[in-house]
Amino acid sequence: MMINLKGRNFLTLLDYSPEEIRYLLDYATILKENKKHGRTFDLLKGKNIVLLFEKTSTRTRSAFEVAGYDEGAHVTFLSNSQFGKKESVEDTAKVLGRIYDGIEFRGNKQETVNILAEESGVPVWNGLTDEYHPTQALADLLTIQEHFGNLKHKKVAFVGDTRNNVANSLMIACAKLGIDYAGVGPEELSPDKKILEQAKKIATESGSEIIITSDIAKGVENADVIYTDIWVSMGEEDKIAERINLLLDYQVNQDLMDKTGKDTTIFLHCLPSFHDNKTTFAQMVEDKFGISEMEVTDEIFNSDQSLVFDQAENRLHTIKALICATLAEEPNRIFEKYEKTN
Ligand code: CP
Ligand code: NVA
């Protein structure tokens, strides 16, 4: 039977079955192909979507906006509202739920996105919290699937701050889809025990392996994907000295890539990335700590193995699939239309 996600929230990948995640990847693949051929189907015609941002964004905001516009929705970007200042999450949720058909939230607490979902009565999509970044994981999976042709028996090694939002969602995504996952970083930055236990339990069911290790050689051995993220997430900038100290040995460079033992390994990064000194923050780090590359060297970031911009583009197609699947009146019309046009 065809999967139907109409009306569902997207708060964490823990709420989605492997079949539902695969369905979203298939959906995104069709939408991507459609866009390439200039085909859109007004799947979101008449829908109004609001994007509520507490934290900054380039990709997530752009992807949600263009995804909505491409399929006929109207989109509001709300970054300077009463929310969090004069109005509670509950009241904001009730108001936005009366006006909009779907809500995207990016911010600090996972609890906020949960309350928005409970109180608004419309689908709510998590565009990043301190704990999770599930729409990022969809784009990551699509990029890996496109490159290798499938996700079977692949190994992903996330190197660096293995307890951050991107790593948490990637670990859960891998566990769900039977991909081996290694979190490679210092013990001080190990994942939250509860999230790790949940991922390990899911991995047992899917037949994959989850390991967390501080041993780089062991962690990256045989990896098909080396993934990293910035050393200080949004809101943690004051921890930079401590993170440099903990993570410098875990920089993704040629030496680390060689340790996979494979010449087919790809490099992924959710972006933004500190691979050079071309930002004010990176310049401050260079002046103060004398390093001009942080989590990844410029060489690896710009190498043929690096698929970071394909991955960034895939944010659009996967987010569009998510909005259409959860909000369109007839979400599965896309599969019939695809059959007819191909
Ligand atoms: N990867 C990602 O979420 O990018 P933005 O912070 O630019 O949205
Ligand atoms: N871990 C990063 C991801 C940015 C997309 C952050 O939270 O800032």
Side-chain angles (χ1 to χ4, degrees):
M1 207 180 68
M2 178 68 84
I3 302 242
N4 193 333
L5 302 179
K6 191 161 179 247
R8 287 272 294 274
N9 297 307
F10 188 74
L11 308 177
T12 149
L13 281 172
L14 290 168
D15 305 333
Y16 276 63
S17 69
E19 294 70 31
E20 288 169 342
I21 297 170
R22 282 195 199 97
Y23 164 88
L24 287 173
L25 298 180
D26 290 347
Y27 209 120
T29 303
I30 294 175
L31 289 171
K32 186 171 180 176
E33 186 70 12
N34 277 342
K35 179 144 174 131
K36 209 164 73 189
H37 291 97
R39 297 192 292 252
T40 54
F41 296 113
D42 274 346
L43 287 165
L44 300 172
K45 195 163 183 228
K47 302 290 183 192
N48 290 291
I49 293 169
V50 63
L51 314 180
L52 188 57
F53 277 76
E54 274 183 341
K55 289 181 175 173
T56 50
S57 169
T58 297
R59 281 142 287 269
T60 309
R61 179 203 172 162
S62 309
F64 268 95
E65 284 212 26
V66 174
Y69 296 142
D70 274 355
E71 288 299 330
H74 296 278
V75 185
T76 305
F77 176 63
L78 209 54
S79 68
N80 187 22
S81 63
Q82 309 285 12
F83 170 74
K85 296 170 207 133
K86 286 186 174 162
E87 196 154 47
S88 67
V89 185
E90 286 81 356
D91 290 357
T92 304
K94 284 174 188 153
V95 171
L96 294 179
R98 296 284 184 111
I99 297 174
Y100 290 97
D101 302 297
I103 303 171
E104 182 273 355
F105 172 75
R106 163 172 287 200
N108 303 302
K109 294 187 195 149
Q110 182 68 18
E111 195 197 344
T112 306
V113 79
N114 293 342
I115 297 173
L116 285 170
E118 277 159 29
E119 301 292 338
S120 68
V122 298
V124 170
W125 309 293
N126 181 354
L128 180 147
T129 59
D130 292 345
E131 214 165 341
Y132 297 117
H133 197 3
T135 63
Q136 179 67 52
L138 290 180
D140 303 340
L141 290 173
L142 183 63
T143 311
I144 299 168
Q145 182 169 285
E146 282 176 346
H147 180 79
F148 292 107
N150 61 66
L151 297 170
K152 265 185 234 142
H153 311 303
K154 295 290 170 289
K155 176 179 173 182
V156 172
F158 182 98
V159 183
D161 180 8
T162 65
R163 47 154 279 292
N164 83 8
N165 41 17
V166 169
N168 284 341
S169 288
L170 184 66
M171 177 167 72
I172 295 164
C174 289
K176 291 259 176 184
L177 294 198
I179 301 165
D180 289 337
Y181 175 90
V184 189
E187 270 171 36
E188 292 88 335
L189 297 173
S190 293
D192 174 83
K193 281 204 170 59
K194 189 169 159 229
I195 297 173
L196 179 59
E197 284 319 310
Q198 282 172 313
K200 281 192 170 169
K201 192 162 170 271
I202 297 164
T204 315
E205 288 156 22
S206 75
S208 69
E209 190 185 39
I210 306 279
I211 61 160
I212 303 298
T213 178
S214 55
D215 182 335
I216 297 173
K218 179 179 164 203
V220 307
E221 184 187 13
N222 223 15
D224 300 288
V225 179
I226 296 292
Y227 198 124
T228 193
D229 186 9
I230 46 178
W231 289 345
V232 281
S233 287
M234 288 177 271
E236 298 180 336
E237 288 77 6
D238 61 342
K239 292 189 165 51
I240 187 66
E242 172 192 326
R243 293 291 167 79
I244 288 173
N245 198 27
L246 287 171
L247 290 166
L248 201 52
D249 289 346
Y250 293 89
Q251 182 187 67
V252 176
N253 49 34
Q254 191 60 55
D255 184 44
L256 186 141
M257 292 299 285
D258 289 344
K259 287 192 167 73
T260 66
K262 288 185 171 176
D263 57 11
T264 50
T265 306
I266 58 169
F267 171 72
L268 295 182
H269 192 309
C270 57
L271 307 183
S273 161
F274 292 116
H275 58 93
D276 55 29
N277 61 358
K278 293 181 186 161
T279 66
T280 45
F281 186 79
Q283 270 165 22
M284 180 278 286
V285 169
E286 184 170 33
D287 292 347
K288 214 163 160 187
F289 304 98
I291 54 167
S292 57
E293 297 162 315
M294 283 186 255
E295 73 275 5
V296 58
T297 58
D298 210 32
E299 183 189 9
I300 298 299
F301 186 88
N302 290 310
S303 68
D304 290 342
Q305 291 159 284
S306 172
L307 301 186
V308 295
F309 295 111
D310 294 324
Q311 188 186 0
E313 181 196 324
N314 282 337
R315 299 295 308 287
L316 169 64
H317 309 298
T318 44
I319 282 172
K320 196 191 287 178
L322 175 65
I323 306 176
C324 290
T326 52
L327 200 58
E329 288 306 320
E330 298 175 87
N332 290 332
R333 193 155 59 89
I334 189 81
F335 292 96
E336 295 159 28
K337 294 241 175 220
Y338 189 68
E339 298 277 301
K340 280 192 199 129
T341 44
N342 281 276

